[in-house]
């Protein structure tokens, strides 16, 4: 993506390039050929309202085919809590640097933002943007509110069309991944399919389709995650134990 486009027309208005449209189409083809979606199904769709995610959904449905789509009942929801993480002013500063109009303050600001991100990957945020932590909080609001309510009311086949960081946040919140393991979760690529299956307190997650390679896969997104346990807590300092005569 040309980063200038994040400035004009803006992130929420960015469209898919041809390759992105094809990725979305073949993801839909996979859903049809693998019989993930079948005639008679009721599918609840929650989609980020950004232009490129709406186009992705359109490509998915085209890949499913008109005949199958006519035999499925879709319940569509435009969900603003599924939008992409914002990087705020960083794209504007990068554009100013490219055009040779960057000020000393902007230069220092960008460097400081990067330095902070390098040591606080989860909580640091770009100026006027938001952090992964804030994305996770927003996604958790969606899970605990709208999604849980709709599941209780009978929404069992659910399709979520969103962005890499947002899907990553969804996995983190659904599977209680520790904050320190954020960087070990791989960010989904265009066209990837992540399947979450099961029931309350017994969910499983699997990447079932690689959108770039356009082929079926079976990958556990949690395979590199290390969960915090009582046994892994930091040890009480030995010198303090000695002081306390314990």
């Amino acid at each position: 993506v040309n980063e200038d486009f994040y400035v004009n027309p803006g992130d929420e208005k960015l469209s898919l390039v041809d390759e992105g449209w094809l990725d979305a189409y073949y993801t839909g083809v996979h859903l049809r050929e693998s019989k993930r979606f079948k005639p008679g199904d009721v599918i609840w769709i929650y989609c980020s309202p950004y232009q490129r995610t709406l186009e992705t959904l359109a490509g998915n449905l085209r890949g499913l085919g008109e005949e199958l789509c006519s035999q499925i009942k879709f319940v569509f929801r435009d969900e603003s809590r599924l939008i992409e993480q914002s990087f705020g002013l960083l794209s504007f500063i990068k554009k100013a640097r490219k055009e040779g109009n960057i000020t000393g303050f902007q230069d220092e600001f960008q460097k400081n933002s990067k330095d902070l991100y390098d040591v606080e990957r989860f909580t640091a945020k770009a100026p006027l943007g938001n952090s992964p932590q804030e994305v996770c909080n927003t996604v958790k609001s969606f899970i605990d509110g709208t999604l849980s309510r709709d599941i209780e009311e009978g929404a069992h086949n659910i399709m979520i069309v969103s962005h890499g960081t947002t899907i990553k946040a969804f996995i983190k919140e659904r599977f209680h991944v520790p904050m320190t393991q954020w960087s070990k979760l791989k960010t989904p690529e265009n066209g990837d399919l992540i399947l979450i299956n099961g029931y309350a307190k017994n969910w499983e997650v699997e990447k079932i389709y690689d959108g770039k390679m356009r082929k079926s896969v079976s990958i556990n997104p949690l395979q590199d995650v290390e969960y915090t346990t009582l046994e892994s807590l930091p040890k009480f300092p030995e010198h303090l134990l000695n002081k306390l005569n314990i």
Side-chain angles (χ1 to χ4, degrees), residues 25-145:
Y25 171 82
Y26 283 112
T27 298
V29 170
H30 173 79
L31 288 170
R32 171 168 48 83
E33 292 183 344
S34 63
K35 301 189 185 307
R36 295 285 178 185
F37 287 5
K38 303 181 294 296
D41 281 349
V42 178
I43 308 294
W44 292 63
I45 300 175
Y46 303 90
C47 186
S48 159
Y50 277 23
Q51 180 67 20
R52 60 187 179 276
T53 36
L54 294 172
E55 291 173 350
T56 295
L57 176 57
N60 294 157
L61 297 178
R62 175 64 67 176
L64 278 173
E66 291 184 10
E67 181 179 354
L68 179 56
C69 284
S70 69
Q71 298 171 334
I72 293 174
K73 179 182 178 181
F74 292 105
V75 181
F76 176 74
R77 296 284 187 269
D78 175 316
E79 180 51 69
S80 62
R81 286 171 292 183
L82 296 175
I83 65 173
E84 177 66 292
Q85 177 185 3
S86 170
F87 293 97
L89 290 179
L90 286 186
S91 295
F92 291 83
I93 295 174
K94 287 180 179 178
K95 187 172 187 294
R97 182 188 299 280
K98 181 178 175 181
E99 294 173 349
N101 296 324
I102 194 165
T103 66
F105 174 76
Q106 288 174 319
D107 188 44
E108 195 64 28
F109 205 36
Q110 183 180 17
K111 289 177 181 175
N112 290 341
S113 294
K114 182 182 182 305
D115 290 343
L116 179 60
Y117 178 73
D118 285 343
V119 295
E120 296 184 12
R121 291 291 175 106
F122 187 67
T123 56
K125 61 182 178 181
L128 298 185
N130 55 13
S131 66
Q133 181 185 34
E134 290 170 324
V135 177
C136 287
N137 291 343
T138 303
V139 166
K140 189 173 189 306
S141 166
F142 167 69
I143 293 173
D144 293 345

Side-chain angles (χ1 to χ4, degrees), residues 147-193:
L147 187 63
S148 293
R149 180 201 66 204
D150 288 348
I151 289 175
E152 286 178 5
E153 294 179 359
H156 299 303
N157 293 325
I158 296 167
M159 177 180 182
I160 294 175
V161 183
S162 190
H163 311 266
T165 299
T166 312
I167 296 170
K168 184 175 168 179
F170 197 100
I171 296 171
K172 180 197 176 299
E173 294 305 316
R174 195 48 133 178
F175 294 92
H176 309 290
V177 174
M179 175 190 80
T180 56
Q181 301 297 296
W182 175 254
S183 295
K184 291 188 178 180
L185 286 175
K186 289 184 171 60
T187 303
E189 302 272 357
N190 292 345
D192 285 355
L193 283 175

